[in-house]
Structures are given as C-alpha cells and as structure tokens.
Amino acid sequence: MQITAHGLRLLDLSFNYPHIAESYIDAEIRHLQSCGVQVFAWSSQHAPAPGPVPDGVQMAVGEPIAPIVARFQPDIIHLHWLMWNQNAIDVLAAFGKPMTARVHTDTTRERLQMYCAHPAIRRVYIYPGDSERFDFKHDKLRAMPVVIERQPAVNVARDRRLILRAASLSPRDQAMMVELAHRLPEYRVVMCLADNAHKGANGTVEEINAAITRFKPDNLQVLWNVAPSDMARWYAQAGLYVHTFPAGKTAAMPVSIGQALSAGCYTLVRNQPRLAGMVAAAGAVYASLEEAVAQVRATEHWSDANWATREALSRAEGEKFCADQAVATMLKDWLQFANLREANN
C-alpha cells in the first residue's frame, strides 16, 4: 500500500546530483514523485558523470538557496550526506522549514551528535546498526537502508560465467577485480566504473592500471560511466556480483550490492558485518582474494535448481532496499512535520 503525499513540496539538497554512481538519491526522488511529492533538487556542483534528471523535477546547481526557498516554498528541506557544518545548518534553519538529514557514506559520532542537537533538524536517517556502532542513541535517529530503484525486468539470458563489479572511483579495492579475472580466466569479468571527484579517485585509477599492466587479463572489460539503462542489463545478465572493499576499512551500505541483489545476482562481499547483513543467505562473504576465487569456483557445481533458488533469495533480499519499501518511514515523517494529511492507496 503506497503512501500518497500530494501537495508536499521538498527541497532536496546534495553535492553532485544527479551522479550515475550515486543513484540512491535519484531512487528516492523518483519514488517520492510517484507518491505525489513536488521536488526541487539543488546540487552544490555539477556531477562528473551525470545521469538523467527525472521529468518534473526542478533543478539548480550552485545557485543561492534563499531565492529558491522564496520561490518554491518547500514544506521540507532534506540534506543528503552529513557533511554540512554547523554554520550551513544555521543558515538553512533561518528559512523556518522543518529539516531532515540522510547518511550516505560513513560518518562520526560527533557528527551525529551535532545534527541531533540542532533544533531545526527534525530527523536524521542513519543506516541500520549505526546507533550501536557509534554507541549513540537519540530520539531523532531513524534507521533506513540504502535506497535503490527496483531493477527492471530485462530480457537477457543469465550468464553464470559473467562476474560484475560496479563502482565509482572512491577507493574500493577495485584493482582486486583485475587479479580476480587473472585467477579465473574461463570467466568474463566486467567492471563498470564512474568518474567522481572524491579523494583518492586518481589513485584508484593508477592502481587499476598498474594491476592491468601486471596481470594482463584478456577476459576483463572495463567500461566507463555506463548509463542506468545499460547498467540494468549488466545486472540482469551477470550470474555473479563481487563487491570489493579494503579489508581494513568499514563499509557504509553500498548501493551496488542492493542493485545486484534486486537483479538476482549471486553476490559476494567482504566479510564485514554490515556487508554480510546486506546479502544474508542470498550470497557469501570472503576474507581474501583466494576465498573469493573459491566462492566463485563453488558455483560451478550448482544445479539449475540451485541457481534458481539463489536468484530468488537474492531478489527477496533486494526488496528491502527498493524505494517503495525503504522510503515509507521518511515520507510519513515529512507529512507529520509539514502538518499534511497522510493518505494510502
């Protein structure tokens, strides 16, 4: 039963919308539109790998926010990332609109405390498990998973020897995929990368190129800035999805894992609690390259029935990240903050 929110006006503030590798914001916006929300999307800078802006969404990049608020008259101001400092929040609070904030990548206990302490911030949406991990609880905190659009049905055959990885250029141990291809020469390995301006992007490219020079895998295909519609075909076709991540770092909640699960891919992730929790019984974890290779090899002995079961498990796990499931709590909050009536279809 979908909530409807006709008349709700949302000013959605982010840093480089619409970025094809940061599709969680786009997934939220598209679903909110389907619920009747009018959206004005503001970005501080142009995305280095832009995706399409949904029809009907008003958009501004780098413009002063005050005239937009005066003209658009939002009911809610929603901040993506917890990178806005105290001064920026104070400036936005002066508009007198209810404000909410949304975690995307990792944050800190101090940031969560600052946001929750600010009187203009009505709610902070964090990833499941963040309260425990940061040892911080507050009435304003609400757990909300990463948000994706449900993967569309694509008429392509599933290739059980196709391994996929999709990532931006934030350091995510993408070079591991090069060696994985080298270790699994009978598999096709496709890595879809998207430009970004994040710290470490240039180093990531250098690491990937160095690995390619060293291993020279002829079964590896590297694609750049793949359009969302084409990305959906890769997810639909891939039998396996391998999410790489540095062993010594803590992952946030990667959108690509949700997309891979939603598409029915058998998904392998680094053995970190949050990543393991995302795939649950639908995938497997690895602690090293050798374990990842072994997990891939293990699928070679699966029957058709086993593959079908795994695909169904993946799709079921992926449902929890789909926008129509994940955004409901946030939308209910906004209707309450804006003193608008909630309706259900």
Side-chain angles (χ1 to χ4, degrees), residues 139-210:
D139 289 342
K140 291 183 180 180
L141 296 179
R142 291 290 184 276
M144 179 178 166
V146 68
V147 175
I148 66 169
E149 285 191 271
R150 182 174 283 101
Q151 292 298 294
V154 180
N155 187 25
V156 295
R158 183 78 68 182
D159 183 351
R160 298 171 184 175
R161 294 294 180 98
L162 173 59
I163 303 172
L164 181 66
R165 173 69 167 111
S168 69
L169 292 181
S170 300
R172 297 292 184 264
D173 197 16
Q174 293 93 328
M176 176 186 146
M177 294 301 296
V178 181
E179 189 169 358
L180 187 74
H182 172 70
R183 298 284 192 95
L184 296 165
E186 65 273 42
Y187 283 77
R188 182 184 178 193
V189 178
V190 175
M191 185 158 51
C192 299
L193 301 175
D195 290 314
N196 70 17
H198 293 178
K199 183 178 179 180
N202 290 336
T204 299
V205 174
E206 291 171 0
E207 290 173 4
I208 293 169
N209 288 337

Side-chain angles (χ1 to χ4, degrees), residues 84-303:
W84 309 78
N85 61 30
Q86 177 83 46
N87 290 338
I89 297 175
D90 288 343
V91 169
L92 293 169
F95 296 125
K97 306 294 182 179
M99 295 168 59
T100 61
R102 173 74 160 116
V103 166
H104 285 293
T105 55
D106 212 357
T107 187
T108 65
R109 189 175 193 269
E110 292 71 25
R111 277 275 160 170
L112 288 176
Q113 289 175 318
M114 185 269 281
Y115 274 73
C116 289
H118 200 289
I121 300 291
R122 305 288 293 274
R123 193 77 79 220
V124 180
Y125 302 99
I126 58 176
Y127 290 133
D130 274 351
S131 287
E132 293 74 20
R133 186 160 68 93
F134 293 111
D135 189 26
F136 176 64
K137 299 184 185 299
H138 196 282
D139 289 342
K140 291 183 180 180
L141 296 179
R142 291 290 184 276
M144 179 178 166
V146 68
V147 175
I148 66 169
E149 285 191 271
R150 182 174 283 101
Q151 292 298 294
V154 180
N155 187 25
V156 295
R158 183 78 68 182
D159 183 351
R160 298 171 184 175
R161 294 294 180 98
L162 173 59
I163 303 172
L164 181 66
R165 173 69 167 111
S168 69
L169 292 181
S170 300
R172 297 292 184 264
D173 197 16
Q174 293 93 328
M176 176 186 146
M177 294 301 296
V178 181
E179 189 169 358
L180 187 74
H182 172 70
R183 298 284 192 95
L184 296 165
E186 65 273 42
Y187 283 77
R188 182 184 178 193
V189 178
V190 175
M191 185 158 51
C192 299
L193 301 175
D195 290 314
N196 70 17
H198 293 178
K199 183 178 179 180
N202 290 336
T204 299
V205 174
E206 291 171 0
E207 290 173 4
I208 293 169
N209 288 337
I212 290 174
T213 299
R214 178 184 177 189
F215 295 107
K216 299 180 175 61
D218 57 10
N219 59 331
L220 172 69
Q221 185 177 8
V222 179
L223 304 174
W224 286 92
N225 301 329
V226 179
S229 57
D230 293 331
M231 199 67 241
R233 293 185 66 83
W234 283 116
Y235 280 120
Q237 187 178 355
L240 301 102
Y241 184 82
V242 176
H243 183 271
T244 58
F245 202 82
K249 294 186 177 181
T250 300
M253 187 167 262
V255 66
S256 67
I257 293 176
Q259 291 169 330
L261 291 168
S262 178
C265 301
Y266 182 60
T267 303
L268 308 180
V269 300
R270 177 69 69 174
N271 63 340
Q272 294 189 14
R274 178 140 54 192
L275 303 183
M278 286 187 74
V279 300
V285 300
Y286 65 88
S288 64
L289 173 65
E290 289 70 24
E291 284 191 12
V293 170
Q295 294 282 13
V296 172
R297 292 270 186 221
T299 67
E300 295 172 3
H301 307 292
W302 289 0
S303 65

Side-chain angles (χ1 to χ4, degrees), residues 5 36 39 163 166 175 203 226-227 230 260 263 273 284 307-308 332 335 340:
V39 180
I163 303 172
V226 179
D230 293 331
W307 274 104
K332 288 181 179 180
L335 288 167
L340 295 176

